[in-house]
Amino acid sequence: MGTAEIPYKIYLDESELPTSWYNMRADMKKKPAPLLNPGTGQPMKAEELEAVFCSELVKQELNNDDAHIAIPQEILDFYKMYRPSPLVRAYFLEKKLDTPAKIYYKFEGNNTSGSHKLNSAIAQAYYAKKQGLKGVTTETGAGQWGTALSMACAFFGLDCKVFMVKVSYEQKPFRREVMRTYGASVTPSPSETTQIGKKILSEHPGTTGSLGCAISEAVDVAVGTEGYRYVLGSVLNQVLLHQSVIGLETKAALDKYGIRPDIIIGCAGGGSNLGGLIAPFMGEKLRGEADYRIIAVEPSSCPSFTRGKYAYDFCDTGRVCPLAKMYTLGCDYIPAPNHAGGLRYHGMSSTLSELYDQGYMEATSVKQTDVFAAAEEFARVEGILPAPESSHAIRVAINEALKCKETGEEKTIVFGLTGTGYFDMVAYEKFHDGQMEDYLPTDEELAKSLDKLPQIG
Amino acid sequence: MGTAEIPYKIYLDESELPTSWYNMRADMKKKPAPLLNPGTGQPMKAEELEAVFCSELVKQELNNDDAHIAIPQEILDFYKMYRPSPLVRAYFLEKKLDTPAKIYYKFEGNNTSGSHKLNSAIAQAYYAKKQGLKGVTTETGAGQWGTALSMACAFFGLDCKVFMVKVSYEQKPFRREVMRTYGASVTPSPSETTQIGKKILSEHPGTTGSLGCAISEAVDVAVGTEGYRYVLGSVLNQVLLHQSVIGLETKAALDKYGIRPDIIIGCAGGGSNLGGLIAPFMGEKLRGEADYRIIAVEPSSCPSFTRGKYAYDFCDTGRVCPLAKMYTLGCDYIPAPNHAGGLRYHGMSSTLSELYDQGYMEATSVKQTDVFAAAEEFARVEGILPAPESSHAIRVAINEALKCKETGEEKTIVFGLTGTGYFDMVAYEKFHDGQMEDYLPTDEELAKSLDKLPQIG
């Protein structure tokens, strides 16, 4: 391996970094369905969205036409602090699996937020600052998005109010402290500090929360506070746009060495990482220039692609947000306390949902004990302790590599290693102690929330 | 800043990575004093040391002659998983401080051990494996060395028994879990599992432990268990040798852009990071080829350079280890529970002690509240959440940069950012809540342990 032509880690030079984000929607013949106003059933207008979101971000949200959107210089400079992220050739994992497959992973965990979330956080904070806002509100599941946004807000001197899903708040006691280091305030959700939080608590006593609940609270506060807007770390088109930097770097690094992937794998909660990783590859696919197998991996406890419905639904549990057409389990669905907090969302990005519906990608779901087994196997040979979310992609990458071992095929597999698991040691401890359970919702459970989908579209 | 000639991060290509370690002792006219057998007062022979340490590592420990020692291919391959580490230009910190100084830091935290410790851990595990051993024992303070060794042992399939300083074990509950992920066993020290641990507990009831105590226990177990040896993450010559990879990369990166540092700053506990970072620069100084200001930074609660004595002392509290000539606070000195667990050691590397004694470097001590203030300031502009240990170097780098602001001098400052603080959130929480105290030992306290130094040499 010492003489391998492909280095262990491919780093792009600063001069090779992307200077524009890539917008998949521009190349989609059938565009993702628009957000709807739940009152009128009509597509949300820019001015309606601007009550909740920053103006420039609304433009990006609604922009289905421009394939390339220039990254402002201030964001490029911030990116240079922690980007490019390495594209790693998993030589040691290949050896361990004894597979002819060639495995690469794009590692987004080498920054203090511990994940790819910083890519969009810095962009959203930048536009909020440029608009002259005082601060922003948001929700966080695993805490990675909240940390990323705290870092971005500290950098631009913005106030940052984070609603953290209660189960994650309790599982990850130190996450809050990292956010405080960056000057943010953190409230476990559902909370008694908002009307919508109180309502959810009265309807679901003892609930451990969900991203859907936390979104409702964060939006509630943003709309009711002068000089504040709400920002979101996944699901939205704008987030996938910012995250395209992951895929653009990945593609540039592969192209540099003439490598063509056969399979691209990413974990999928709301779709921010997956949508970013696959963006330029999907672009080629949409334009008919190349073909790739693209696999979304979701937890079996929250299987929106694999067991959900493609329908209009609320983005949040409190039903205060616009309606999005997406694969959904129903906005009332509160996932079991799976340890991959970042994947505990009832819906899926509208863009990815439309691409999945059109057959441009596959989806599969995996059980969390299988995910942690893959995480540990990976950590021991590749060094990096992966986040539970990222480990969903590891599980399927290993499965595909083992299939290659059976068939003898030398496929090239690329997966997204979105982040690190340093704040997930409670989960790892349960796994080591044999106390981790798998949660698979019954059809009846799913039907219960799916039956309550709004009747639209 | 977007057009700066020097990139934000300088990464070497794989082909530019060092293939040999550099041994400072070869260029020292007056060599570091040898380890002594406490029974005979004579220099330790290789065969005596081999009862405790791996044979190849003993050779490295005693090698004062060879300036360059080739890095075995297996270690080079492992290094490629997480090296080169970036040399970062702190553009945003410079801007925040409004200083004409140019600040660079070598960031060693981008691996799961969270620090530079992996550089020596993988080397020591490799030699242990090559010797056909079953496993190794060690101590860990902050937990970074223990994690690094666990990772290295998992990679080579060796058993790993870690004694973790009790105060760190309690401050960092999740560190143990990371080590378990890599298959290690972790015991808080002092423990009831060893004779020496029982003795220390009876003499110092309720002690929160120290590196000195944990070393005694780990050595005790290694010597008493078939197929095991003891390995150490700092202080020893062999460790500084392995860590020279930090300095060699730093120098190669600076040379690539024609940058000549004026000041080089590193935190100093046992000396592993500092000795590694400065190695090639010190080499030039020793050979009279160049001059640099080199500053060691230690906690005011454990000030071996600045308030200790240069004398022969035991490396461990239990007095089972050989004697080393070093700046020491006395092997009975148990430092206050400062949050920089990695710097809570009574002594200092013999090599660095000799260089300090000969005037080749300076030393200073800083209070932990000042250290955390610097850590937070750094985190907010440079993104990275630093380890408390590393933040000692940040504090002094900021101080020096502020002096440049006063004088208008455009000095180039390089410091070692040894690791990340993800497992130090208890400490950050205390700092945020205003509950962090500074511990400065009185002269009487220091005299108490210094009076008990062995009468040798």
Side-chain angles (χ1 to χ4, degrees):
Chain A
M1 269 184 293
T3 56
E5 276 177 43
I6 311 291
Y8 282 64
K9 292 186 267 71
I10 306 176
Y11 276 112
L12 299 173
D13 292 333
E14 260 181 32
S15 60
E16 298 169 310
L17 295 183
T19 54
S20 297
W21 292 303
Y22 167 64
N23 180 7
M24 282 188 285
R25 288 166 285 154
D27 285 315
M28 290 171 74
K29 281 182 200 104
K30 189 181 168 202
K31 309 292 180 189
L35 294 169
L36 298 186
N37 181 319
T40 65
Q42 294 302 306
M44 290 288 286
K45 291 176 200 144
E47 29 316 359
E48 292 174 307
L49 288 168
E50 282 173 8
V52 179
F53 299 107
C54 303
S55 308
E56 191 63 33
L57 293 167
V58 169
K59 279 189 204 154
Q60 295 180 354
E61 190 64 28
L62 300 177
N63 187 337
N64 283 343
D65 303 316
D66 297 322
H68 305 284
I69 294 177
I71 307 174
Q73 188 61 48
E74 290 88 338
I75 299 174
L76 283 176
D77 284 343
F78 189 91
Y79 277 174
K80 286 177 198 161
M81 273 212 296
Y82 71 101
R83 306 203 68 82
S85 68
L87 180 72
V88 186
R89 173 74 182 268
Y91 281 117
F92 291 119
L93 180 62
E94 291 171 17
K95 193 178 165 193
K96 170 86 194 309
L97 298 176
D98 190 22
T99 173
K102 293 169 177 59
I103 309 174
Y104 294 85
Y105 53 93
K106 179 69 169 169
F107 180 43
E108 292 286 318
N110 273 350
N111 71 75
T112 289
S113 80
S115 83
H116 66 294
K117 294 289 184 183
L118 198 51
N119 302 331
S120 185
I122 193 64
Q124 297 194 47
Y126 167 77
Y127 291 118
K129 183 71 182 179
K130 211 178 154 203
Q131 194 174 330
L133 298 179
K134 288 182 206 160
V136 292
T137 70
T138 199
E139 82 301 325
T140 196
Q144 293 175 325
W145 166 248
T147 307
L149 190 68
S150 305
M151 292 170 67
C153 285
F155 190 79
F156 285 123
L158 285 168
D159 183 40
C160 181
K161 299 183 195 300
V162 180
F163 287 87
M164 186 168 185
V165 177
K166 195 178 278 173
V167 61
S168 293
Y169 187 89
E170 285 161 5
Q171 280 172 354
K172 306 186 179 190
F174 295 150
R175 269 285 179 201
R176 178 189 49 130
E177 222 38 57
V178 182
M179 292 186 245
R180 271 181 88 194
T181 301
Y182 290 94
S185 70
V186 189
T187 308
S189 167
S191 78
E192 299 279 354
T193 68
T194 66
Q195 286 306 320
I196 201 82
K198 284 182 196 168
K199 184 161 173 280
I200 293 167
L201 282 172
S202 72
E203 286 168 11
H204 304 271
T207 176
T208 51
S210 70
L211 282 168
C213 297
I215 292 172
S216 298
E217 291 201 84
V219 170
D220 200 42
V221 171
V223 171
T225 314
E226 174 70 28
Y228 280 72
R229 290 293 186 284
Y230 166 71
V231 296
L232 179 64
S234 192
V235 183
L236 295 175
N237 293 331
Q238 59 190 261
V239 177
L240 269 67
L241 175 71
H242 306 147
Q243 294 295 357
S244 69
V245 71
I246 304 172
L248 291 165
E249 280 186 12
T250 302
K251 187 150 192 323
L254 291 170
D255 286 349
K256 200 169 169 175
Y257 287 88
I259 305 159
R260 203 199 147 280
D262 298 297
I263 309 175
I264 301 165
I265 301 167
C267 62
S272 71
N273 148 69
L274 181 69
L277 174 66
I278 66 173
F281 303 98
M282 185 60 84
E284 289 189 326
K285 226 173 147 162
L286 287 165
R287 297 188 302 269
E289 297 164 7
D291 197 17
Y292 306 98
R293 242 187 103 196
I294 294 174
I295 310 176
V297 189
E298 53 188 17
S300 56
S301 58
C302 196
S304 40
F305 265 148
T306 49
R307 296 177 68 194
K309 268 193 193 167
Y310 190 34
Y312 266 104
D313 193 10
F314 287 95
C315 293
D316 66 320
T317 307
R319 300 178 178 236
V320 302
C321 285
L323 296 163
K325 190 175 178 192
M326 55 184 177
Y327 278 85
T328 180
L329 299 165
C331 68
D332 288 324
Y333 182 74
I334 296 195
N338 180 293
H339 288 283
L343 306 182
R344 298 178 70 245
Y345 183 64
H346 66 274
M348 184 62 69
S349 142
S350 286
T351 302
L352 293 184
S353 291
E354 183 57 35
L355 289 167
Y356 180 61
D357 193 58
Q358 292 180 28
Y360 279 100
M361 50 192 278
E362 307 167 27
T364 186
S365 74
V366 287
K367 290 190 294 180
Q368 71 170 344
T369 50
D370 292 339
V371 165
F372 274 83
E376 193 165 279
E377 182 169 17
F378 177 84
R380 289 189 181 189
V381 289
E382 289 289 322
I384 298 165
L385 184 81
E389 292 82 1
S390 327
S391 304
H392 285 68
I394 297 176
R395 175 73 275 162
V396 173
I398 290 178
N399 293 351
E400 291 295 330
L402 291 175
K403 279 185 209 163
C404 287
K405 186 180 176 177
E406 279 178 30
T407 62
E409 288 174 290
E410 289 190 28
K411 286 190 181 163
T412 296
I413 300 169
V414 173
F415 72 90
L417 189 70
T418 56
T420 49
Y422 305 137
F423 292 91
D424 298 283
M425 297 323 296
V426 168
Y428 274 95
E429 186 172 12
K430 279 197 182 162
F431 176 69
H432 295 146
D433 293 342
Q435 288 172 1
M436 179 172 281
E437 287 172 33
D438 290 314
Y439 310 94
L440 280 88
T442 62
D443 290 339
E444 291 69 34
E445 275 175 83
L446 291 181
K448 210 171 136 189
S449 56
L450 285 171
D451 284 350
K452 287 193 245 166
L453 284 179
Q455 300 302 314
I456 291 169
Chain B
M1 268 184 294
T3 56
E5 277 178 41
I6 311 292
Y8 282 65
K9 291 185 269 70
I10 306 175
Y11 277 111
L12 298 173
D13 292 333
E14 260 181 33
S15 60
E16 298 169 311
L17 294 183
T19 54
S20 298
W21 292 303
Y22 167 65
N23 180 8
M24 282 188 284
R25 287 165 286 153
D27 285 315
M28 291 171 73
K29 282 185 198 101
K30 190 182 169 201
K31 307 292 181 189
L35 294 170
L36 297 186
N37 181 319
T40 65
Q42 294 301 307
M44 291 289 286
K45 290 176 201 145
E47 28 316 359
E48 291 174 308
L49 288 168
E50 283 173 7
V52 179
F53 300 108
C54 304
S55 308
E56 191 63 32
L57 293 167
V58 169
K59 279 189 204 156
Q60 295 180 353
E61 190 64 27
L62 300 176
N63 187 337
N64 284 342
D65 303 316
D66 297 321
H68 305 284
I69 294 176
I71 307 174
Q73 188 61 48
E74 290 87 339
I75 300 174
L76 284 176
D77 284 343
F78 189 90
Y79 277 174
K80 286 178 198 160
M81 271 211 297
Y82 71 100
R83 305 203 69 82
S85 70
L87 180 71
V88 186
R89 173 76 182 267
Y91 281 117
F92 291 119
L93 180 62
E94 291 171 17
K95 192 177 165 193
K96 169 87 193 309
L97 300 175
D98 189 23
T99 174
K102 293 169 176 59
I103 309 174
Y104 294 84
Y105 54 92
K106 180 69 168 169
F107 180 42
E108 292 286 319
N110 273 352
N111 71 75
T112 288
S113 79
S115 82
H116 65 295
K117 294 291 185 183
L118 198 52
N119 302 330
S120 185
I122 193 64
Q124 298 194 45
Y126 167 77
Y127 291 118
K129 183 70 182 180
K130 210 178 155 202
Q131 194 175 329
L133 298 178
K134 287 182 206 160
V136 292
T137 71
T138 199
E139 82 300 326
T140 196
Q144 294 175 325
W145 166 248
T147 308
L149 190 68
S150 305
M151 291 169 68
C153 286
F155 190 78
F156 285 122
L158 285 167
D159 183 40
C160 181
K161 299 183 196 300
V162 180
F163 287 87
M164 185 169 186
V165 177
K166 196 179 278 173
V167 61
S168 293
Y169 186 90
E170 285 162 4
Q171 281 171 353
K172 306 184 181 191
F174 296 149
R175 269 284 179 202
R176 179 190 48 129
E177 222 38 59
V178 181
M179 293 186 247
R180 271 180 89 195
T181 301
Y182 289 94
S185 69
V186 189
T187 309
S189 167
S191 78
E192 299 279 354
T193 68
T194 66
Q195 286 306 319
I196 201 80
K198 284 181 196 167
K199 183 162 174 280
I200 292 167
L201 281 172
S202 72
E203 286 168 11
H204 304 270
T207 178
T208 52
S210 70
L211 283 167
C213 297
I215 291 171
S216 298
E217 292 201 82
V219 170
D220 199 43
V221 171
V223 171
T225 314
E226 174 71 27
Y228 280 72
R229 290 293 185 283
Y230 167 71
V231 296
L232 180 62
S234 192
V235 184
L236 295 175
N237 293 331
Q238 59 190 261
V239 178
L240 269 67
L241 175 72
H242 306 147
Q243 294 295 358
S244 68
V245 70
I246 304 172
L248 292 164
E249 280 186 11
T250 303
K251 190 154 188 320
L254 291 171
D255 286 349
K256 199 168 170 176
Y257 287 88
I259 305 159
R260 202 197 147 281
D262 298 296
I263 309 174
I264 302 166
I265 301 166
C267 63
S272 70
N273 147 67
L274 181 69
L277 174 67
I278 66 173
F281 303 99
M282 184 61 83
E284 290 189 324
K285 225 172 149 165
L286 287 164
R287 297 189 301 270
E289 297 165 5
D291 198 17
Y292 306 98
R293 245 188 99 195
I294 294 175
I295 310 175
V297 189
E298 53 188 18
S300 56
S301 58
C302 196
S304 40
F305 265 148
T306 50
R307 296 177 68 193
K309 268 192 195 170
Y310 190 35
Y312 265 105
D313 192 10
F314 287 95
C315 294
D316 66 319
T317 307
R319 299 178 179 237
V320 301
C321 286
L323 296 163
K325 190 175 178 192
M326 55 184 178
Y327 278 85
T328 179
L329 299 165
C331 69
D332 288 325
Y333 182 73
I334 296 195
N338 179 292
H339 288 283
L343 306 182
R344 298 178 70 245
Y345 182 63
H346 66 275
M348 183 63 69
S349 142
S350 285
T351 301
L352 293 184
S353 292
E354 183 56 35
L355 289 167
Y356 180 60
D357 193 56
Q358 291 180 30
Y360 280 99
M361 50 191 277
E362 307 166 28
T364 187
S365 74
V366 287
K367 291 189 294 181
Q368 72 171 343
T369 49
D370 293 339
V371 165
F372 275 82
E376 193 164 278
E377 183 169 16
F378 178 84
R380 290 190 181 190
V381 289
E382 289 290 322
I384 298 165
L385 184 81
E389 292 81 2
S390 327
S391 303
H392 285 68
I394 297 176
R395 174 74 274 162
V396 173
I398 290 178
N399 293 351
E400 291 294 331
L402 291 175
K403 281 184 207 162
C404 288
K405 185 179 176 179
E406 279 178 31
T407 62
E409 288 173 289
E410 289 191 26
K411 286 189 181 163
T412 296
I413 299 169
V414 173
F415 72 90
L417 188 70
T418 55
T420 49
Y422 306 136
F423 292 91
D424 298 283
M425 296 323 296
V426 168
Y428 274 95
E429 185 172 14
K430 279 196 183 164
F431 175 70
H432 295 146
D433 293 342
Q435 288 172 0
M436 178 171 282
E437 286 171 33
D438 291 313
Y439 310 94
L440 281 88
T442 62
D443 290 339
E444 291 69 35
E445 274 176 85
L446 291 181
K448 209 171 138 189
S449 57
L450 284 171
D451 284 351
K452 287 192 244 165
L453 285 179
Q455 300 301 312
I456 289 168

